[in-house]
Amino acid sequence: MSKRLLHIVLTAMFVFTLCEGFSAPKAGMNRIIKSGDPKLIYKTALDYYERGKWQRASTLFEAVEPYYIGTPTEDSVAFFKARSKFKEKDYDIASVMLDEFRRKFGRSVFIEDAEGMYALCFYFMSPEPERDQTVTSQAIVSISEFLYRYPNSPQRENFENITAELTQKLHDKAFINAYTYYKTGRHKSAIVAFRNALRQYPESSHREELMYYIVKSGYELAHNSIESKQTDRYMSMLDSYYSYLSEYPDSKRLKELGRLAKEAKDYLDKNNKDKQ
């Protein structure tokens, strides 16, 4: 917790202290909720929160929330309720609560922390590259919006590192999708997918691999095509080969691709002679 948040929590606990020597963890949860005493419930929730008892704190913040609607304490209760869910790692629920908070309490002292946590929820929910990356994209957008609103945030460096990590997932996903077509012999679809990945992510860490497999897929597509389509497909494959050669003149893969290019050129030369 930031020093600012800690100060706010400790101040709130002082204001709502009911009696000297009260020990929140010893009080029964149900008895406290049924007491109908909002100050007692809130004080106990804060006490649990400080002790890292996130589930208990969340339950009590939720129970006391109706008592503080329309009061200056409403945003505090809503924030700590959402933060407790966040600390429980219940990111799906926390994201909903935090989104509601930032829409309702735009001027709250907690707004920057709430929006930062909102973005982090999607980061923590982001799956491995093999799975759908919709949440990953949502995380990147949320972080971008946060950094736009709070350019001097102390979290800036951390969020920039997280963005790089999330972007890498998108690059990985695009490559995995395209490579799956190649691996299963669907070379025409593979070429489209590899090219789309390059177009969407020109700075991809997989750029060389993408260009390499475009050449390989182009060769396989041409080699296994009916004769009427081979000429155009070998020519397209050679275009891809020369693009790769231009960008990666020192690649260790050039020897392999060079053999495929020679086979394509030999076919085209023979085909041209046959037509003369």
Side-chain angles (χ1 to χ4, degrees), residues 197-243:
L198 276 176
R199 186 161 41 250
Q200 189 172 6
Y201 306 114
E203 304 297 325
S204 172
S205 59
H206 298 287
R207 183 174 179 83
E208 182 179 352
E209 288 178 282
L210 291 168
M211 295 183 70
Y212 166 76
Y213 280 111
I214 288 174
V215 180
K216 291 269 288 182
S217 297
Y219 169 80
E220 294 293 343
L221 181 63
H223 183 72
N224 295 296
S225 292
I226 59 175
E227 186 175 353
S228 62
K229 294 184 178 181
Q230 282 187 306
T231 296
D232 287 342
R233 288 178 173 176
Y234 271 127
M235 289 179 66
S236 178
M237 174 263 179
L238 285 174
D239 284 342
S240 300
Y241 167 73
Y242 289 123
S243 293

Side-chain angles (χ1 to χ4, degrees), residues 9 42 45-46 49 53-66 69 73-90 93-98 100-101 104-105 110 114 117 121:
V9 172
Y42 187 35
L46 289 172
Y49 181 92
K53 306 293 185 180
W54 314 120
Q55 187 173 8
R56 293 180 180 181
S58 174
T59 299
L60 290 174
F61 283 126
E62 186 172 353
V64 81
E65 193 171 31
I69 292 175
T73 310
E74 182 180 6
D75 67 323
S76 299
V77 175
F79 175 78
F80 285 112
K81 181 184 73 169
R83 187 173 174 83
S84 295
K85 284 294 183 183
F86 179 86
K87 300 294 273 185
E88 280 186 77
K89 299 184 180 181
D90 192 348
I93 297 299
S95 67
V96 174
M97 290 180 174
L98 289 163
E100 182 180 347
F101 180 91
K104 190 173 182 179
F105 304 108
F110 300 110
M117 280 194 296
C121 283

Side-chain angles (χ1 to χ4, degrees), residues 5-274:
L5 277 179
L6 180 59
H7 173 74
I8 293 171
V9 172
L10 292 177
T11 300
M13 290 181 70
F14 174 78
V15 171
F16 287 99
T17 296
L18 298 179
C19 59
E20 186 177 357
F22 175 80
S23 180
K26 293 181 181 178
M29 290 276 290
N30 290 335
R31 181 176 62 81
I32 292 171
I33 293 173
K34 290 178 180 179
S35 72
D37 185 341
K39 291 184 179 181
L40 173 61
I41 300 171
Y42 187 35
K43 164 64 177 67
T44 309
L46 289 172
D47 188 78
Y48 278 135
Y49 181 92
E50 277 302 293
R51 292 169 179 266
K53 306 293 185 180
W54 314 120
Q55 187 173 8
R56 293 180 180 181
S58 174
T59 299
L60 290 174
F61 283 126
E62 186 172 353
V64 81
E65 193 171 31
Y67 294 103
Y68 287 103
I69 292 175
T71 72
T73 310
E74 182 180 6
D75 67 323
S76 299
V77 175
F79 175 78
F80 285 112
K81 181 184 73 169
R83 187 173 174 83
S84 295
K85 284 294 183 183
F86 179 86
K87 300 294 273 185
E88 280 186 77
K89 299 184 180 181
D90 192 348
Y91 301 118
D92 193 16
I93 297 299
S95 67
V96 174
M97 290 180 174
L98 289 163
D99 189 34
E100 182 180 347
F101 180 91
R102 68 196 191 113
R103 295 175 188 281
K104 190 173 182 179
F105 304 108
R107 296 183 179 181
S108 170
V109 66
F110 300 110
I111 188 62
E112 182 175 340
D113 294 286
E115 295 198 319
M117 280 194 296
Y118 176 73
L120 286 174
C121 283
F122 296 110
Y123 166 62
F124 288 123
M125 288 192 290
S126 174
E128 293 304 308
E130 292 78 10
R131 297 171 58 191
D132 179 79
Q133 294 299 303
T134 300
V135 174
T136 301
S137 298
Q138 194 169 0
I140 292 173
V141 170
S142 297
I143 290 173
S144 177
E145 290 176 348
F146 176 85
L147 292 178
Y148 177 78
R149 292 192 185 104
Y150 309 103
N152 300 316
S153 169
Q155 297 191 70
R156 184 171 191 88
E157 183 177 355
N158 181 47
F159 273 147
E160 288 175 346
N161 291 335
I162 286 174
T163 298
E165 178 186 337
L166 294 169
T167 300
Q168 183 61 49
K169 279 190 180 183
L170 297 183
H171 294 176
D172 293 344
K173 176 63 174 177
F175 176 77
I176 290 169
N177 283 349
Y179 183 73
T180 299
Y181 287 122
Y182 174 83
K183 191 174 181 180
T184 55
R186 300 168 64 184
H187 299 295
K188 188 174 183 180
S189 296
I191 293 170
V192 173
F194 284 128
R195 285 178 174 165
N196 284 344
L198 276 176
R199 186 161 41 250
Q200 189 172 6
Y201 306 114
E203 304 297 325
S204 172
S205 59
H206 298 287
R207 183 174 179 83
E208 182 179 352
E209 288 178 282
L210 291 168
M211 295 183 70
Y212 166 76
Y213 280 111
I214 288 174
V215 180
K216 291 269 288 182
S217 297
Y219 169 80
E220 294 293 343
L221 181 63
H223 183 72
N224 295 296
S225 292
I226 59 175
E227 186 175 353
S228 62
K229 294 184 178 181
Q230 282 187 306
T231 296
D232 287 342
R233 288 178 173 176
Y234 271 127
M235 289 179 66
S236 178
M237 174 263 179
L238 285 174
D239 284 342
S240 300
Y241 167 73
Y242 289 123
S243 293
Y244 181 91
L245 177 63
S246 175
E247 195 158 335
Y248 301 102
D250 300 318
S251 172
K252 294 179 181 180
R253 291 166 166 161
L254 281 178
K255 187 175 181 180
E256 174 195 2
L257 297 185
R259 288 196 298 269
L260 301 183
K262 182 179 184 306
E263 184 175 330
K265 286 185 283 187
D266 288 346
Y267 174 87
L268 294 173
D269 288 342
K270 180 178 181 302
N271 192 54
N272 286 335
K273 287 179 181 179
D274 291 344

